[in-house]
Amino acid sequence: MGPHPAVAAVRNAVHAALSDLPAGCLVLVACSGGADSLALAAAAAFVGPRATLRIGGVSVDHGLQDGSAERAEAVAQQLRTLGLAPVEACRVTVGTAGGPEAAARAARYRALDAAADRLAATTVLLGHTADDQAETVLLGLARGSGARSLAGMAPVAGRYRRPFLDLPRRLVREACVAAGLDAWEDPHNRDPAFTRTRVRDAALPALESALGPGVAAALARTARLLRADADALDAVAESAAPDCVRDDGLDCVALMTLPEAIRGRVLRRAAVAAGCPAGALAAGHVAALDRLCSTAGLGPAHLPGGIRATRRCGTLVLWRPPEE
């Protein structure tokens, strides 16, 4: 007899995600101890040696709950029991920028990046499922975001890979149970104070009730389609950007000949290159740059990161004023 169908499905997903990696490289599994990331760790522990890859793990302690350090170490021990090595439990300090969810996420990725650098890992695996993707799309819709945000989480983003993005959460958790793993449910995942929790526990079930089953899968499919569109538009913008560049900024006339979708991407790229934090640069900021391009005589636009933009003799100039 072969493995349980759910176990086979998660193993196949991990195998596909790792199939292009060279033999001998180190892959880290980010594991919270929840069912999704434990199923990922178990699948990677099975697939890795057969693909001649080394599989390690990282458990991040956010320090937001009593006993969090002990919990992170217990998760690390679970990973060692599964055969992962090296394994680390990392403590982080969570700030306040962007709200509690964003701050915790930023601290977690800093810790994962640091661990990957320290251990010379080529890849970090994350356990996000198709349901997580659907939640991300709904959050983007609520913010009035563009195609790139609605495209959700990328299957591959730099060193990070998400093997389970096409798998429903139900199946991944079934695999965890079938593998006999002892998962831990973070109480924050059920706390309605967090926006994503409300989307998971209220918004998505309401949509399923009103529209019928399959909403989460449809939203995840929408993300895949929009990602392909966004990638194509980004490529066009990258090709168009050099024709708009001048010694001191961007040529407004050249910019205004571009379709709006391409122009917005060129402007966003320029703002990030000037020093704007990409995560803080919203659609409203890009719209302000667009207005400067199309209308002479407007005052400067204030962008995240202390960057300002103004129009001078038909050229859009972005700069950071000296500190007073």
Side-chain angles (χ1 to χ4, degrees), residues 28-168:
L28 297 179
V29 179
C31 187
S32 67
D36 301 342
S37 58
L38 269 182
L40 177 61
F46 178 86
V47 169
R50 290 162 177 79
T52 62
L53 300 171
R54 295 181 296 135
I55 307 295
V58 180
S59 172
V60 178
D61 169 22
H62 297 85
L64 299 176
Q65 304 170 37
D66 292 339
S68 62
E70 292 79 5
R71 166 52 53 187
E73 185 52 47
V75 172
Q77 187 54 47
Q78 279 183 293
L79 298 181
R80 297 184 187 104
T81 301
L82 287 171
L84 276 65
V87 172
E88 293 189 354
C90 303
R91 179 69 180 260
V92 299
T93 299
V94 177
T96 58
E101 292 169 282
R105 182 170 57 251
R108 181 165 60 252
Y109 278 99
R110 285 196 300 271
L112 293 174
D113 280 333
D117 289 341
R118 186 168 55 253
L119 299 171
T122 60
T123 303
V124 179
L125 299 183
L126 304 173
H128 299 114
T129 67
D131 295 76
D132 295 307
Q133 185 77 297
E135 294 160 13
T136 300
V137 173
L138 277 182
L139 289 167
L141 284 169
R143 292 192 298 264
S145 301
R148 176 55 68 191
S149 179
L150 296 181
M153 296 174 285
V156 179
R159 61 168 41 124
Y160 292 96
R161 301 190 180 199
R162 298 177 172 92
F164 293 166
L165 274 187
D166 288 333
L167 300 181

Side-chain angles (χ1 to χ4, degrees), residues 76-258:
Q77 187 54 47
Q78 279 183 293
L79 298 181
R80 297 184 187 104
T81 301
L82 287 171
L84 276 65
V87 172
E88 293 189 354
C90 303
R91 179 69 180 260
V92 299
T93 299
V94 177
T96 58
E101 292 169 282
R105 182 170 57 251
R108 181 165 60 252
Y109 278 99
R110 285 196 300 271
L112 293 174
D113 280 333
D117 289 341
R118 186 168 55 253
L119 299 171
T122 60
T123 303
V124 179
L125 299 183
L126 304 173
H128 299 114
T129 67
D131 295 76
D132 295 307
Q133 185 77 297
E135 294 160 13
T136 300
V137 173
L138 277 182
L139 289 167
L141 284 169
R143 292 192 298 264
S145 301
R148 176 55 68 191
S149 179
L150 296 181
M153 296 174 285
V156 179
R159 61 168 41 124
Y160 292 96
R161 301 190 180 199
R162 298 177 172 92
F164 293 166
L165 274 187
D166 288 333
L167 300 181
R169 182 180 291 136
R170 169 196 52 77
L171 183 145
V172 173
R173 297 194 170 183
E174 187 178 351
C176 185
V177 173
L181 300 171
D182 184 17
W184 172 73
E185 181 67 27
D186 185 344
H188 282 171
N189 290 340
R190 298 268 75 90
D191 187 344
F194 296 107
T195 306
R196 186 174 285 270
T197 299
R198 297 195 298 272
V199 170
R200 179 183 301 130
D201 291 347
L204 268 173
L207 286 173
E208 295 271 358
S209 176
L211 302 176
V215 170
L219 287 169
R221 185 168 61 252
T222 297
R224 287 196 301 274
L225 295 171
L226 283 171
R227 179 164 298 281
D229 291 348
D231 287 346
L233 291 170
D234 285 349
V236 174
E238 185 174 358
S239 297
D243 293 333
C244 301
V245 175
R246 300 295 178 264
D247 289 341
D248 54 348
L250 298 174
D251 187 310
C252 292
V253 172
L255 281 167
M256 295 310 297
T257 65
L258 299 175

